[in-house]
Amino acid sequence: MADDIRVSRRREPVKSCCTAEFERGFAPAPARALPGACPTYSSRLYPEIPTMNRSTAFQFSRFEVTVFGILAAVMLLTRSHALTHLVHIPSTALASFFVLGYFVRRFTGFVGLFALGYAIDVVSISMLGVSDFCYTPAYAMLIPAYAVMWMAGRYAARMPERLQSLPAMAVLLVVATFASHLFSSGGFYFLGGRFPEPTITGFLPRIARYFPVSLMSSLLWSGVAVALWALLLTARPALRRERSR
């Protein structure tokens, strides 16, 4: 009698919803159940079913966030005329996107820096009294102009970081700056609506006048970035490994 009581008091094993449904014939075997269909489902029990990973498009390393923050601060100081009304500072835009491509390869980084530049221009024109002469439909040509510099920086990042690579990087920077100038200056000349009859003949003198200034700015600020990076690597060699992550 005591044995019967002990048997009756034994708890029946708890069945999961998937097992119960399977025994009643309303669901397939638990091994075939879809992830999330049962609260007791565990990917550990079913490793053959892949799980969805979060997109890496918005996952930046601490190093990349630091580089982006520095470039954003430089753009805020130079593009917003916070300092240029006190002292003439060559434009840092082209070099900033080149450096961004070298250190931050994700496209969202490019979008973020371009959006910041656009916001600065809008605020400067609408609230700070900056001339809107250059703000025309051709402003959209800045997208390919800056994208060229960013892509050139990405390509330069594939080169080994040694002194022998500097000439090749310099040539790449000059070519990218020229292509970027064609997009920005050419877009403004032909699509901006400020010139009644734009022609190739009329555009060539503008290249001779404005491209040397753009090239000087690009080489100057990119050289500053190279020097700072070399000093940082000398002081903290571990930064090279952190950048390669």
Side-chain angles (χ1 to χ4, degrees), residues 20-100:
E21 293 294 326
F22 170 68
E23 291 180 352
R24 290 198 296 268
F26 296 113
R32 298 176 180 271
L34 295 176
C38 174
T40 61
Y41 176 82
S42 173
S43 59
R44 295 180 180 177
L45 298 178
Y46 306 96
E48 69 278 7
I49 301 179
T51 57
M52 182 177 296
N53 296 325
R54 186 172 59 179
S55 173
T56 60
F58 298 95
Q59 296 178 2
F60 293 89
S61 67
R62 182 175 61 180
F63 178 82
E64 290 175 324
V65 172
T66 302
V67 171
F68 183 88
I70 294 173
L71 294 176
V74 170
M75 181 172 286
L76 282 170
L77 289 174
T78 59
R79 197 180 185 104
S80 63
H81 301 276
L83 295 177
T84 53
H85 72 286
L86 300 175
V87 58
H88 176 70
I89 299 178
S91 175
T92 62
L94 299 184
S96 293
F97 281 97
F98 182 82
V99 174
L100 180 73

Side-chain angles (χ1 to χ4, degrees), residues 156-216:
R158 301 178 182 178
M159 301 180 184
E161 288 186 337
R162 56 191 182 190
L163 190 62
Q164 291 81 354
S165 300
L166 287 180
M169 289 186 181
V171 172
L172 176 64
L173 182 60
V174 171
V175 174
T177 303
F178 182 74
S180 178
H181 183 78
L182 291 180
F183 278 117
S184 59
S185 182
F188 176 71
Y189 179 75
F190 289 101
L191 305 176
R194 303 298 188 187
F195 304 91
E197 297 180 358
T199 62
I200 298 295
T201 304
F203 177 63
L204 292 179
R206 296 180 61 85
I207 296 178
R209 179 179 179 182
Y210 295 109
F211 174 67
V213 178
S214 298
L215 181 61
M216 181 196 68

Side-chain angles (χ1 to χ4, degrees), residues 146-161:
Y146 292 158
V148 166
M149 300 301 297
W150 179 68
M151 292 296 294
R154 283 171 55 96
Y155 186 83
R158 301 178 182 178
M159 301 180 184
E161 288 186 337

Side-chain angles (χ1 to χ4, degrees), residues 96-180:
S96 293
F97 281 97
F98 182 82
V99 174
L100 180 73
Y102 189 86
F103 291 109
V104 183
R105 300 178 61 84
R106 290 175 174 82
F107 180 69
T108 46
F110 169 78
V111 174
L113 194 63
F114 183 87
L116 175 63
Y118 175 74
I120 292 173
D121 290 343
V122 171
V123 172
S124 299
I125 293 173
S126 60
M127 300 179 62
L128 302 181
V130 176
S131 173
D132 62 348
F133 181 79
C134 295
Y135 191 72
T136 68
Y139 189 95
M141 295 302 293
L142 289 181
I143 298 177
Y146 292 158
V148 166
M149 300 301 297
W150 179 68
M151 292 296 294
R154 283 171 55 96
Y155 186 83
R158 301 178 182 178
M159 301 180 184
E161 288 186 337
R162 56 191 182 190
L163 190 62
Q164 291 81 354
S165 300
L166 287 180
M169 289 186 181
V171 172
L172 176 64
L173 182 60
V174 171
V175 174
T177 303
F178 182 74
S180 178

